[in-house]
PDB file of all heavy atoms in Angstrom:
ATOM      1  N   MET A 368     -45.690  -0.919  12.170  1.00  0.00           N
ATOM      2  CA  MET A 368     -45.876  -2.043  13.118  1.00  0.00           C
ATOM      3  C   MET A 368     -44.466  -2.406  13.742  1.00  0.00           C
ATOM      4  O   MET A 368     -44.438  -2.825  14.894  1.00  0.00           O
ATOM      5  CB  MET A 368     -46.430  -3.264  12.358  1.00  0.00           C
ATOM      6  CG  MET A 368     -47.887  -3.019  11.972  1.00  0.00           C
ATOM      7  SD  MET A 368     -48.963  -2.426  13.282  1.00  0.00           S
ATOM      8  CE  MET A 368     -48.771  -3.680  14.528  1.00  0.00           C
ATOM      9  N   SER A 369     -43.401  -2.279  12.995  1.00  0.00           N
ATOM     10  CA  SER A 369     -42.101  -2.544  13.523  1.00  0.00           C
ATOM     11  C   SER A 369     -41.778  -1.651  14.674  1.00  0.00           C
ATOM     12  O   SER A 369     -41.271  -2.072  15.726  1.00  0.00           O
ATOM     13  CB  SER A 369     -41.040  -2.438  12.400  1.00  0.00           C
ATOM     14  OG  SER A 369     -39.758  -2.680  12.932  1.00  0.00           O
ATOM     15  N   LEU A 372     -44.115  -2.513  17.642  1.00  0.00           N
ATOM     16  CA  LEU A 372     -43.803  -3.762  18.363  1.00  0.00           C
ATOM     17  C   LEU A 372     -42.419  -3.781  18.904  1.00  0.00           C
ATOM     18  O   LEU A 372     -41.940  -4.851  19.312  1.00  0.00           O
ATOM     19  CB  LEU A 372     -43.965  -4.927  17.288  1.00  0.00           C
ATOM     20  CG  LEU A 372     -45.392  -5.196  16.881  1.00  0.00           C
ATOM     21  CD1 LEU A 372     -45.355  -6.073  15.577  1.00  0.00           C
ATOM     22  CD2 LEU A 372     -46.140  -5.926  17.985  1.00  0.00           C
ATOM     23  N   ASP A 373     -41.724  -2.659  18.970  1.00  0.00           N
ATOM     24  CA  ASP A 373     -40.349  -2.627  19.344  1.00  0.00           C
ATOM     25  C   ASP A 373     -40.120  -3.268  20.719  1.00  0.00           C
ATOM     26  O   ASP A 373     -39.210  -4.074  20.880  1.00  0.00           O
ATOM     27  CB  ASP A 373     -39.827  -1.164  19.416  1.00  0.00           C
ATOM     28  CG  ASP A 373     -38.332  -1.092  19.681  1.00  0.00           C
ATOM     29  OD1 ASP A 373     -37.595  -1.693  18.840  1.00  0.00           O
ATOM     30  OD2 ASP A 373     -37.898  -0.499  20.628  1.00  0.00           O
ATOM     31  N   GLY A 374     -41.012  -3.051  21.646  1.00  0.00           N
ATOM     32  CA  GLY A 374     -40.883  -3.649  22.957  1.00  0.00           C
ATOM     33  C   GLY A 374     -41.363  -5.112  23.021  1.00  0.00           C
ATOM     34  O   GLY A 374     -41.209  -5.764  24.066  1.00  0.00           O
ATOM     35  N   GLU A 375     -41.960  -5.599  21.963  1.00  0.00           N
ATOM     36  CA  GLU A 375     -42.504  -6.946  21.931  1.00  0.00           C
ATOM     37  C   GLU A 375     -41.727  -7.850  21.094  1.00  0.00           C
ATOM     38  O   GLU A 375     -42.092  -9.098  20.956  1.00  0.00           O
ATOM     39  CB  GLU A 375     -43.989  -6.898  21.424  1.00  0.00           C
ATOM     40  CG  GLU A 375     -44.854  -5.931  22.118  1.00  0.00           C
ATOM     41  CD  GLU A 375     -45.108  -6.344  23.536  1.00  0.00           C
ATOM     42  OE1 GLU A 375     -44.984  -7.560  23.881  1.00  0.00           O
ATOM     43  OE2 GLU A 375     -45.455  -5.458  24.365  1.00  0.00           O
ATOM     44  N   LYS A 376     -40.641  -7.418  20.502  1.00  0.00           N
ATOM     45  CA  LYS A 376     -39.966  -8.234  19.526  1.00  0.00           C
ATOM     46  C   LYS A 376     -39.302  -9.470  20.201  1.00  0.00           C
ATOM     47  O   LYS A 376     -38.853  -9.396  21.367  1.00  0.00           O
ATOM     48  CB  LYS A 376     -38.871  -7.449  18.786  1.00  0.00           C
ATOM     49  CG  LYS A 376     -39.432  -6.433  17.833  1.00  0.00           C
ATOM     50  CD  LYS A 376     -38.472  -5.671  17.078  1.00  0.00           C
ATOM     51  CE  LYS A 376     -39.129  -4.689  16.069  1.00  0.00           C
ATOM     52  NZ  LYS A 376     -38.143  -3.888  15.360  1.00  0.00           N
ATOM     53  N   GLY A 377     -39.278 -10.539  19.501  1.00  0.00           N
ATOM     54  CA  GLY A 377     -38.765 -11.806  19.995  1.00  0.00           C
ATOM     55  C   GLY A 377     -39.757 -12.887  19.562  1.00  0.00           C
ATOM     56  O   GLY A 377     -40.887 -12.621  19.124  1.00  0.00           O
ATOM     57  N   GLY A 378     -39.311 -14.134  19.629  1.00  0.00           N
ATOM     58  CA  GLY A 378     -40.137 -15.231  19.213  1.00  0.00           C
ATOM     59  C   GLY A 378     -40.493 -15.153  17.728  1.00  0.00           C
ATOM     60  O   GLY A 378     -39.632 -15.073  16.900  1.00  0.00           O
ATOM     61  N   ASP A 379     -41.763 -15.166  17.418  1.00  0.00           N
ATOM     62  CA  ASP A 379     -42.253 -15.138  16.043  1.00  0.00           C
ATOM     63  C   ASP A 379     -42.571 -13.778  15.520  1.00  0.00           C
ATOM     64  O   ASP A 379     -43.128 -13.619  14.442  1.00  0.00           O
ATOM     65  CB  ASP A 379     -43.470 -16.024  15.914  1.00  0.00           C
ATOM     66  CG  ASP A 379     -43.193 -17.501  16.166  1.00  0.00           C
ATOM     67  OD1 ASP A 379     -42.144 -18.015  15.709  1.00  0.00           O
ATOM     68  OD2 ASP A 379     -44.014 -18.147  16.892  1.00  0.00           O
ATOM     69  N   THR A 380     -42.300 -12.715  16.290  1.00  0.00           N
ATOM     70  CA  THR A 380     -42.683 -11.387  15.938  1.00  0.00           C
ATOM     71  C   THR A 380     -42.087 -10.938  14.592  1.00  0.00           C
ATOM     72  O   THR A 380     -42.809 -10.449  13.702  1.00  0.00           O
ATOM     73  CB  THR A 380     -42.315 -10.345  17.035  1.00  0.00           C
ATOM     74  OG1 THR A 380     -42.832 -10.749  18.241  1.00  0.00           O
ATOM     75  CG2 THR A 380     -42.739  -8.988  16.654  1.00  0.00           C
ATOM     76  N   GLY A 381     -40.760 -11.220  14.375  1.00  0.00           N
ATOM     77  CA  GLY A 381     -40.168 -10.797  13.177  1.00  0.00           C
ATOM     78  C   GLY A 381     -40.765 -11.566  11.915  1.00  0.00           C
ATOM     79  O   GLY A 381     -40.971 -10.969  10.879  1.00  0.00           O
ATOM     80  N   ALA A 382     -40.940 -12.866  12.117  1.00  0.00           N
ATOM     81  CA  ALA A 382     -41.536 -13.652  11.048  1.00  0.00           C
ATOM     82  C   ALA A 382     -42.961 -13.198  10.748  1.00  0.00           C
ATOM     83  O   ALA A 382     -43.364 -13.099   9.561  1.00  0.00           O
ATOM     84  CB  ALA A 382     -41.543 -15.127  11.416  1.00  0.00           C
ATOM     85  N   ASN A 383     -43.689 -12.782  11.790  1.00  0.00           N
ATOM     86  CA  ASN A 383     -45.064 -12.286  11.566  1.00  0.00           C
ATOM     87  C   ASN A 383     -45.062 -10.979  10.779  1.00  0.00           C
ATOM     88  O   ASN A 383     -45.926 -10.761   9.967  1.00  0.00           O
ATOM     89  CB  ASN A 383     -45.749 -12.141  12.925  1.00  0.00           C
ATOM     90  CG  ASN A 383     -46.041 -13.472  13.616  1.00  0.00           C
ATOM     91  OD1 ASN A 383     -46.123 -14.525  12.918  1.00  0.00           O
ATOM     92  ND2 ASN A 383     -46.184 -13.455  14.887  1.00  0.00           N
ATOM     93  N   LEU A 384     -44.089 -10.122  11.112  1.00  0.00           N
ATOM     94  CA  LEU A 384     -43.973  -8.877  10.384  1.00  0.00           C
ATOM     95  C   LEU A 384     -43.701  -9.091   8.927  1.00  0.00           C
ATOM     96  O   LEU A 384     -44.307  -8.447   8.055  1.00  0.00           O
ATOM     97  CB  LEU A 384     -42.903  -8.008  11.019  1.00  0.00           C
ATOM     98  CG  LEU A 384     -43.265  -7.198  12.288  1.00  0.00           C
ATOM     99  CD1 LEU A 384     -41.970  -6.645  12.861  1.00  0.00           C
ATOM    100  CD2 LEU A 384     -44.233  -6.123  11.945  1.00  0.00           C
ATOM    101  N   ARG A 385     -42.810 -10.018   8.624  1.00  0.00           N
ATOM    102  CA  ARG A 385     -42.424 -10.255   7.219  1.00  0.00           C
ATOM    103  C   ARG A 385     -43.632 -10.897   6.479  1.00  0.00           C
ATOM    104  O   ARG A 385     -43.881 -10.589   5.336  1.00  0.00           O
ATOM    105  CB  ARG A 385     -41.278 -11.239   7.182  1.00  0.00           C
ATOM    106  CG  ARG A 385     -39.925 -10.547   7.591  1.00  0.00           C
ATOM    107  CD  ARG A 385     -38.715 -11.414   7.343  1.00  0.00           C
ATOM    108  NE  ARG A 385     -38.696 -12.620   8.152  1.00  0.00           N
ATOM    109  CZ  ARG A 385     -38.225 -12.707   9.386  1.00  0.00           C
ATOM    110  NH1 ARG A 385     -37.651 -11.627   9.925  1.00  0.00           N
ATOM    111  NH2 ARG A 385     -38.226 -13.847  10.031  1.00  0.00           N
ATOM    112  N   SER A 386     -44.350 -11.745   7.217  1.00  0.00           N
ATOM    113  CA  SER A 386     -45.477 -12.415   6.576  1.00  0.00           C
ATOM    114  C   SER A 386     -46.642 -11.363   6.299  1.00  0.00           C
ATOM    115  O   SER A 386     -47.262 -11.367   5.221  1.00  0.00           O
ATOM    116  CB  SER A 386     -46.103 -13.454   7.500  1.00  0.00           C
ATOM    117  OG  SER A 386     -47.276 -14.033   6.986  1.00  0.00           O
ATOM    118  N   ALA A 387     -46.807 -10.419   7.235  1.00  0.00           N
ATOM    119  CA  ALA A 387     -47.784  -9.359   7.027  1.00  0.00           C
ATOM    120  C   ALA A 387     -47.455  -8.488   5.823  1.00  0.00           C
ATOM    121  O   ALA A 387     -48.291  -8.098   5.025  1.00  0.00           O
ATOM    122  CB  ALA A 387     -47.935  -8.517   8.277  1.00  0.00           C
ATOM    123  N   ALA A 388     -46.151  -8.152   5.762  1.00  0.00           N
ATOM    124  CA  ALA A 388     -45.669  -7.288   4.655  1.00  0.00           C
ATOM    125  C   ALA A 388     -45.940  -7.985   3.325  1.00  0.00           C
ATOM    126  O   ALA A 388     -46.356  -7.350   2.338  1.00  0.00           O
ATOM    127  CB  ALA A 388     -44.193  -7.005   4.812  1.00  0.00           C
ATOM    128  N   ILE A 443     -55.025 -10.739   8.269  1.00  0.00           N
ATOM    129  CA  ILE A 443     -53.708 -11.200   8.725  1.00  0.00           C
ATOM    130  C   ILE A 443     -53.782 -11.708  10.145  1.00  0.00           C
ATOM    131  O   ILE A 443     -53.225 -12.775  10.456  1.00  0.00           O
ATOM    132  CB  ILE A 443     -52.721 -10.030   8.561  1.00  0.00           C
ATOM    133  CG1 ILE A 443     -52.444  -9.734   7.101  1.00  0.00           C
ATOM    134  CG2 ILE A 443     -51.404 -10.359   9.320  1.00  0.00           C
ATOM    135  CD1 ILE A 443     -51.662  -8.450   6.868  1.00  0.00           C
ATOM    136  N   ASN A 446     -55.702 -15.117  10.434  1.00  0.00           N
ATOM    137  CA  ASN A 446     -55.039 -16.250   9.820  1.00  0.00           C
ATOM    138  C   ASN A 446     -53.602 -16.560  10.347  1.00  0.00           C
ATOM    139  O   ASN A 446     -52.896 -17.357   9.742  1.00  0.00           O
ATOM    140  CB  ASN A 446     -54.957 -16.086   8.272  1.00  0.00           C
ATOM    141  CG  ASN A 446     -56.378 -16.199   7.663  1.00  0.00           C
ATOM    142  OD1 ASN A 446     -56.836 -17.295   7.481  1.00  0.00           O
ATOM    143  ND2 ASN A 446     -56.949 -15.080   7.305  1.00  0.00           N
ATOM    144  N   ASN A 447     -53.246 -15.909  11.389  1.00  0.00           N
ATOM    145  CA  ASN A 447     -51.871 -16.153  11.949  1.00  0.00           C
ATOM    146  C   ASN A 447     -52.051 -16.533  13.444  1.00  0.00           C
ATOM    147  O   ASN A 447     -52.253 -15.721  14.337  1.00  0.00           O
ATOM    148  CB  ASN A 447     -51.046 -14.906  11.830  1.00  0.00           C
ATOM    149  CG  ASN A 447     -49.546 -15.173  12.157  1.00  0.00           C
ATOM    150  OD1 ASN A 447     -49.284 -16.056  12.911  1.00  0.00           O
ATOM    151  ND2 ASN A 447     -48.678 -14.441  11.543  1.00  0.00           N
ATOM    152  N   THR A 448     -51.989 -17.818  13.695  1.00  0.00           N
ATOM    153  CA  THR A 448     -52.155 -18.318  15.027  1.00  0.00           C
ATOM    154  C   THR A 448     -50.948 -18.137  15.875  1.00  0.00           C
ATOM    155  O   THR A 448     -50.976 -18.416  17.115  1.00  0.00           O
ATOM    156  CB  THR A 448     -52.496 -19.836  14.988  1.00  0.00           C
ATOM    157  OG1 THR A 448     -51.435 -20.545  14.323  1.00  0.00           O
ATOM    158  CG2 THR A 448     -53.818 -20.056  14.227  1.00  0.00           C
ATOM    159  N   THR A 449     -49.803 -17.720  15.293  1.00  0.00           N
ATOM    160  CA  THR A 449     -48.570 -17.592  16.115  1.00  0.00           C
ATOM    161  C   THR A 449     -48.469 -16.209  16.752  1.00  0.00           C
ATOM    162  O   THR A 449     -47.512 -15.985  17.512  1.00  0.00           O
ATOM    163  CB  THR A 449     -47.360 -17.846  15.214  1.00  0.00           C
ATOM    164  OG1 THR A 449     -47.274 -16.786  14.258  1.00  0.00           O
ATOM    165  CG2 THR A 449     -47.408 -19.202  14.524  1.00  0.00           C
ATOM    166  N   MET A 450     -49.358 -15.271  16.469  1.00  0.00           N
ATOM    167  CA  MET A 450     -49.286 -13.956  17.051  1.00  0.00           C
ATOM    168  C   MET A 450     -49.530 -14.028  18.584  1.00  0.00           C
ATOM    169  O   MET A 450     -50.465 -14.660  19.003  1.00  0.00           O
ATOM    170  CB  MET A 450     -50.326 -13.029  16.387  1.00  0.00           C
ATOM    171  CG  MET A 450     -49.846 -12.399  15.062  1.00  0.00           C
ATOM    172  SD  MET A 450     -50.945 -11.102  14.577  1.00  0.00           S
ATOM    173  CE  MET A 450     -50.245 -10.645  13.043  1.00  0.00           C
ATOM    174  N   SER A 451     -48.790 -13.272  19.287  1.00  0.00           N
ATOM    175  CA  SER A 451     -48.982 -13.141  20.753  1.00  0.00           C
ATOM    176  C   SER A 451     -50.199 -12.202  20.993  1.00  0.00           C
ATOM    177  O   SER A 451     -50.600 -11.518  20.113  1.00  0.00           O
ATOM    178  CB  SER A 451     -47.724 -12.558  21.388  1.00  0.00           C
ATOM    179  OG  SER A 451     -47.532 -11.255  21.049  1.00  0.00           O
ATOM    180  N   ALA A 452     -50.636 -12.243  22.203  1.00  0.00           N
ATOM    181  CA  ALA A 452     -51.785 -11.366  22.561  1.00  0.00           C
ATOM    182  C   ALA A 452     -51.358  -9.960  22.431  1.00  0.00           C
ATOM    183  O   ALA A 452     -52.200  -9.054  21.968  1.00  0.00           O
ATOM    184  CB  ALA A 452     -52.181 -11.680  24.010  1.00  0.00           C
ATOM    185  N   ALA A 453     -50.082  -9.621  22.784  1.00  0.00           N
ATOM    186  CA  ALA A 453     -49.638  -8.199  22.600  1.00  0.00           C
ATOM    187  C   ALA A 453     -49.623  -7.796  21.181  1.00  0.00           C
ATOM    188  O   ALA A 453     -50.032  -6.626  20.832  1.00  0.00           O
ATOM    189  CB  ALA A 453     -48.266  -8.079  23.260  1.00  0.00           C
ATOM    190  N   GLU A 454     -49.145  -8.678  20.264  1.00  0.00           N
ATOM    191  CA  GLU A 454     -49.145  -8.322  18.858  1.00  0.00           C
ATOM    192  C   GLU A 454     -50.536  -8.093  18.306  1.00  0.00           C
ATOM    193  O   GLU A 454     -50.797  -7.115  17.633  1.00  0.00           O
ATOM    194  CB  GLU A 454     -48.508  -9.503  18.015  1.00  0.00           C
ATOM    195  CG  GLU A 454     -47.015  -9.631  18.108  1.00  0.00           C
ATOM    196  CD  GLU A 454     -46.536 -10.835  17.330  1.00  0.00           C
ATOM    197  OE1 GLU A 454     -46.283 -10.622  16.134  1.00  0.00           O
ATOM    198  OE2 GLU A 454     -46.403 -11.906  17.923  1.00  0.00           O
ATOM    199  N   ARG A 455     -51.436  -8.953  18.686  1.00  0.00           N
ATOM    200  CA  ARG A 455     -52.820  -8.851  18.247  1.00  0.00           C
ATOM    201  C   ARG A 455     -53.461  -7.516  18.702  1.00  0.00           C
ATOM    202  O   ARG A 455     -54.250  -6.849  17.995  1.00  0.00           O
ATOM    203  CB  ARG A 455     -53.671  -9.973  18.728  1.00  0.00           C
ATOM    204  CG  ARG A 455     -53.323 -11.335  18.111  1.00  0.00           C
ATOM    205  CD  ARG A 455     -54.071 -12.482  18.606  1.00  0.00           C
ATOM    206  NE  ARG A 455     -53.687 -13.718  18.052  1.00  0.00           N
ATOM    207  CZ  ARG A 455     -54.085 -14.186  16.849  1.00  0.00           C
ATOM    208  NH1 ARG A 455     -54.997 -13.494  16.177  1.00  0.00           N
ATOM    209  NH2 ARG A 455     -53.581 -15.323  16.405  1.00  0.00           N
ATOM    210  N   TYR A 458     -52.006  -4.694  16.503  1.00  0.00           N
ATOM    211  CA  TYR A 458     -52.589  -4.712  15.167  1.00  0.00           C
ATOM    212  C   TYR A 458     -54.082  -4.274  15.198  1.00  0.00           C
ATOM    213  O   TYR A 458     -54.527  -3.513  14.359  1.00  0.00           O
ATOM    214  CB  TYR A 458     -52.527  -6.134  14.561  1.00  0.00           C
ATOM    215  CG  TYR A 458     -51.257  -6.423  13.895  1.00  0.00           C
ATOM    216  CD1 TYR A 458     -50.265  -7.205  14.574  1.00  0.00           C
ATOM    217  CD2 TYR A 458     -50.948  -6.030  12.579  1.00  0.00           C
ATOM    218  CE1 TYR A 458     -49.037  -7.532  13.932  1.00  0.00           C
ATOM    219  CE2 TYR A 458     -49.781  -6.385  11.963  1.00  0.00           C
ATOM    220  CZ  TYR A 458     -48.804  -7.113  12.640  1.00  0.00           C
ATOM    221  OH  TYR A 458     -47.619  -7.420  12.080  1.00  0.00           O
TER     222      TYR A 458
END
Side-chain angles (χ1 to χ4, degrees):
M368 292 311 301
S369 180
L372 290 165
D373 189 55
E375 306 295 336
K376 288 181 179 177
D379 295 316
T380 304
N383 290 338
L384 278 169
R385 290 189 293 273
S386 177
I443 289 169
N446 289 281
N447 191 330
T448 59
T449 67
M450 278 190 183
S451 67
E454 286 179 88
R455 291 178 184 278
Y458 277 99

